[in-house]
Amino acid sequence: EHMKRAATPFVDACNAMEGLKGTGSHIHDVWVGIRTIVEIGTKCQKPADVQNSLMPFLKPVQDAMAKIRQARLDRTFDWHIKAMMEMLTCASWVIMSAPPAPCNFIKGTVGSSDFWANKIRKEYKGKDDAQIAFCDTMKALILDLSKYVKDFHLSGLMWNPKGVALGDYKPSESPSSAPKSSGPAPAVGTADMMKELASKRTNDGTSAATGLKKVSREQQTWRKEYKNDEATPAPTTVKLSQVKTVKKPAMEKKRGAPVCKFQGVGAKWIVENQTKDSNPNGVCLVEVQNPKEQVYIYNCENATIQIKGKLKSVVFDSCVKSNLVFETAISSCEVVNCKRIQIQSTGVCPSFSIDKTDGCLTYLSPETVAISNFVTSKSSEMNVSWLDEKSGEQKEAPIPEQFVHKLVGGAITSDVSDLYH
């Protein structure tokens, strides 16, 4: 039903524009791949490692996305491709588990895709209805998928407890599940290759090269550098892989030992170098005893820090993919040099400061919605989520990153861009 109700209209809207060159079929392939994984969930038990176990079945979805990303289209369709790539991030809901709820994750892609879709709407409003239909059906597709996941997969992809093991599952033979031919062996000679091409040639000659793969520079053995040494490409590949393996340990050395201690001088908690494996249940707990105490969190990755008790202020510095939960901050919550973090205030926090941060989602409690303010600089992908008391739904909105500046009466005035209205 979801495919007919939402996916098909968006595919038709893509195909209606000649400049998109069949990207609609790739969108269809993505949704067919997701439907296949949902069907697997109805027949199989949940594996211990969902993400790695589903990777073979995600391959068609990833291939279809790659074709959209690599499509060589006219520059007038740059916004369309960017909007679709932002929208397609919602396809990863099949390997997610709450929290956050997959339906909220899907709904969150509306803001990022609408950033580019609003540019299309502004450019073609009243000029080209097909362009507007593209934007509207894409947004409707995201919202309908979010509703479907909320109704049937609220905490993640549903599995069948009485089903078979995923390793024993045998999908029905279909074009998407059948193994693809890897093409002729490298040792085939020129004469054999010409015979193969001749057997594939049709009357109009359009499919003479069907089945051939692009030859990379390393495989072009007619070049000078390969005439005397045919084994040259293999060592090159080994060297590149060796360089990559050497870099990974170097990154690990930069992180020191996990620290979570209280300093009496300055009444400050120091929380450093925390990860998901450095604490029981993956949560670093800080219990504040005095409202005058401060908490400074630095260089944490994939960690969750929970602060209990009322405190003066909290600073989140140079953290990646980490979560912060605190009750009430009398002064402020500061975020600096962070990437892809989430913050939740279960009490009251009058001020949030976000500086040099890419990806920050802030959850506000009902008590602090009316009094909190945000000061931002040199940051992107900032969103605020709160509970709408009237509807009872969790709402989310982006913090503007684009502004319009004008010189009026000898002074500069700034207004939020129309993209956010």
Side-chain angles (χ1 to χ4, degrees), residues 42-90:
T42 62
K43 300 177 182 179
C44 300
Q45 299 175 7
K46 184 176 181 180
D49 189 346
V50 175
Q51 183 172 351
N52 290 330
S53 300
L54 287 179
M55 285 307 295
F57 303 99
L58 283 171
K59 186 67 166 58
V61 178
Q62 295 171 337
D63 292 343
M65 290 183 181
K67 291 177 182 178
I68 297 174
R69 186 185 302 109
Q70 297 168 4
R72 295 185 177 181
L73 305 180
D74 188 86
R75 291 185 62 87
T76 55
F77 290 92
D78 283 353
W79 292 342
H80 300 70
I81 295 297
K82 291 178 179 179
M84 283 191 287
M85 294 311 302
E86 293 290 350
M87 178 269 292
L88 288 174
T89 58
C90 70

Side-chain angles (χ1 to χ4, degrees), residues 119-305:
K119 293 178 180 286
I120 301 172
R121 291 188 178 100
K122 188 175 181 180
E123 180 72 20
Y124 294 100
K125 186 177 182 181
K127 302 176 184 178
D128 191 343
D129 292 339
Q131 302 282 352
I132 305 302
F134 169 84
C135 300
D136 294 343
T137 53
M138 179 174 61
K139 185 174 183 178
L141 175 59
I142 301 174
L143 295 177
D144 194 85
L145 178 61
S146 177
K147 183 178 182 302
Y148 164 76
V149 173
K150 184 177 181 180
D151 292 341
F152 300 101
H153 306 274
L154 182 60
S155 60
L157 180 65
M158 296 300 294
W159 297 86
N160 185 353
K162 299 181 180 180
V164 300
L166 185 58
D168 299 332
Y169 175 73
K170 296 181 180 180
S172 57
E173 195 68 23
S174 64
S176 60
S177 60
K180 297 183 179 179
S181 173
S182 58
V188 174
T190 305
D192 294 333
M193 187 183 298
M194 295 305 295
K195 288 180 181 179
E196 183 181 352
L197 288 176
S199 65
K200 293 184 177 181
R201 185 177 296 114
T202 59
N203 293 331
D204 56 1
T206 54
S207 61
T210 302
L212 294 182
K213 296 188 294 185
K214 182 178 179 180
V215 180
S216 63
R217 186 181 180 90
E218 293 82 1
Q219 296 171 323
Q220 296 173 0
T221 55
W222 52 268
R223 294 181 175 276
K224 293 181 180 179
E225 55 267 36
Y226 297 110
K227 285 187 176 180
N228 297 328
D229 186 5
E230 295 181 356
T232 303
T236 303
T237 306
V238 174
K239 289 181 180 178
L240 287 175
S241 63
Q242 290 175 348
V243 172
K244 290 182 180 178
T245 54
V246 170
K247 288 183 179 179
K248 289 182 179 178
M251 296 297 292
E252 296 294 333
K253 291 180 181 179
K254 294 182 179 179
R255 189 175 304 280
V259 176
C260 182
K261 63 180 181 180
F262 177 73
Q263 293 182 348
V265 180
K268 179 185 292 186
W269 283 88
I270 302 297
V271 181
E272 296 180 350
N273 307 320
Q274 298 292 333
T275 64
K276 62 180 180 181
D277 300 324
S278 60
N279 291 278
N281 302 323
V283 179
C284 177
L285 182 62
V286 178
E287 296 184 357
V288 176
Q289 304 296 331
N290 192 318
K292 295 182 180 181
E293 296 178 6
Q294 308 174 58
V295 177
Y296 178 74
I297 305 167
Y298 174 74
N299 197 31
C300 298
E301 183 173 357
N302 289 321
T304 299
I305 295 90

